[in-house]
Amino acid sequence: MTAELNHQALKNAIKYFVAAAIAGSIALATDQVSFIWYPLLAVVMCMDETETRVIAASRGRMLGTVAAGVVGFVVHTVLQGWVALTVSLLILVPILRWCRWQAGLATGVVLLSMLFLVAEYSSLDWLYILNRTIDTLIGVLVAIAVSNLLWPINRLAEIYSLDLKLRQLLSKRLLNIQQLLFGTAAAPEAQVPLEGSRLIGQLSQLVNDELRSRPHGAATRKHWRQRCILWERVNHHSMQLLRLISWLPATFDGLEQGPWLNKLHQSLNTKLDVTELNSTNRRQLLKVASQTNISPLLLLAVEDELHRLISSIKSLQLASNAEISA
């Protein structure tokens, strides 16, 4: 995992360097760009791992630049300095929120601060605002071009790869749960739940990017948004079940009568019929509690989490029906 992160960090660093070098070269070669940090700032604020996030950040950057330029020009006609900056922010923030342009808030604040706190900007006019907007647009276009040219991410392939990793990881966890219930395994390792949460976070980001880029594409038809939510539930309930089982003072021998438990570690297999996976009989649990002197509340909590886990797995199978039929 560390090598993978270092590899991705190196790619991101190269993207930033190339984009900044191109934007800076254009700024130096163009007489209209008076302040080189405008296109460079646009590169830094807009560059991201995928082109979808770059476009979203670029949109916020441009909207914040235009809104801050207009508000700054109007306020500059009557006020200057810190007072003008304060008044401008009191006007800009509600406007951005009302227009649902919150993504441009950071850009607007930075631009207004430069407009009113740098002495060289005292001669502010519409032409100046237009030039600074063009400066920002240069950095935005460079960031979009570099993100599409250097190591573009095949999101669907990455989504399927993460889905496979989750399936393998959580199948091992379910096998561990099964062995713990039968008393044939040691305590689970602490880093496994953290790894599952990390993979689900990456999957959710990629799915959101894909849905934003192609609202009616394969990610929508394959129900990937619902599947991300269900993966989170399976991960959560399996983690909770591991914690509850670790509190049991004895093995859960009463569950051996349920043949479905032997299939628990296979339940994430897309070709497995999960309709046979049923929860235990609660009367049986109370009988087990009286025979083993285990708290019935603890046994019921284990059974409840087991029921929730199985229900989440069933729902995940239903959401993956298109994949199964394929």
Side-chain angles (χ1 to χ4, degrees), residues 30-302:
T30 305
D31 296 336
Q32 294 294 328
V33 180
S34 302
F35 304 99
I36 192 174
W37 61 75
Y38 274 100
L40 294 180
L41 189 62
V43 168
V44 172
M45 297 185 70
C46 296
M47 183 60 69
D48 212 316
E49 293 183 0
T50 65
E51 76 281 359
T52 305
R53 297 178 213 170
V54 172
I55 293 174
S58 301
R59 179 176 177 271
R61 173 73 177 163
M62 291 304 302
L63 292 176
T65 299
V66 173
V70 173
V71 172
F73 174 78
V74 173
V75 175
H76 185 269
T77 58
V78 293
L79 296 172
Q80 293 182 357
W82 283 101
V83 176
L85 175 60
T86 303
V87 173
S88 298
L89 291 177
L90 292 176
I91 297 174
L92 178 68
V93 174
I95 289 177
L96 291 177
R97 292 181 62 86
W98 181 67
C99 296
R100 297 182 180 180
W101 295 349
Q102 289 92 334
L105 184 58
T107 300
V109 171
V110 172
L111 182 59
L112 283 178
S113 300
M114 283 198 256
L115 290 176
F116 288 106
L117 301 182
V118 178
E120 287 78 3
Y121 295 163
S122 57
S123 58
L124 179 63
D125 53 20
W126 287 112
L127 183 59
Y128 179 86
I129 295 174
L130 178 61
N131 289 334
R132 300 296 75 76
T133 304
I134 294 174
D135 296 347
T136 301
L137 182 61
I138 291 173
V140 166
L141 293 177
V142 170
I144 294 175
V146 171
S147 66
N148 280 277
L149 294 176
L150 292 183
W151 301 294
I153 295 179
N154 185 344
R155 284 188 295 267
L156 285 177
E158 289 291 328
I159 286 172
Y160 283 108
S161 175
L162 288 172
D163 182 77
L164 179 61
K165 290 180 181 179
L166 278 170
R167 207 169 291 276
Q168 294 172 346
L169 177 68
L170 293 182
S171 293
K172 291 180 181 178
R173 189 185 301 172
L174 292 180
L175 177 61
N176 190 220
I177 290 174
Q178 175 184 307
Q179 293 172 343
L180 286 170
L181 289 175
F182 290 156
T184 59
E189 297 182 3
Q191 68 268 20
V192 174
L194 298 179
E195 178 68 10
S197 300
R198 185 185 68 84
L199 291 176
I200 292 172
Q202 292 181 357
L203 179 64
S204 299
Q205 281 190 341
L206 287 172
V207 169
N208 289 335
D209 288 343
E210 181 64 22
L211 291 174
R212 193 183 299 116
S213 177
R214 301 178 182 87
H216 305 291
T220 301
R221 295 194 302 271
K222 302 295 185 180
H223 311 291
W224 276 109
R225 187 186 298 278
Q226 294 82 354
R227 289 161 76 172
C228 283
I229 297 173
L230 291 169
W231 273 124
E232 290 179 359
R233 292 181 180 177
V234 171
N235 183 61
H236 170 74
H237 292 309
S238 60
M239 288 168 57
Q240 290 295 99
L241 190 56
L242 282 175
R243 294 190 183 99
L244 290 172
I245 293 175
S246 65
W247 296 342
L248 286 174
T251 61
F252 221 168
D253 295 333
L255 285 179
E256 293 181 2
Q257 301 176 7
W260 60 266
L261 189 58
N262 294 321
K263 301 179 181 180
L264 182 62
H265 68 286
Q266 300 175 340
S267 58
L268 288 174
N269 187 337
T270 55
K271 296 182 180 180
L272 182 67
D273 182 11
V274 296
T275 56
E276 300 178 359
L277 300 183
N278 298 313
S279 57
T280 58
N281 189 328
R282 296 202 171 189
R283 292 183 179 179
Q284 177 186 352
L285 291 178
L286 295 177
K287 181 179 179 180
V288 171
S290 62
Q291 292 175 350
T292 59
N293 293 324
I294 301 175
S295 170
L297 291 179
L298 180 57
L299 292 183
L300 289 174
V302 171

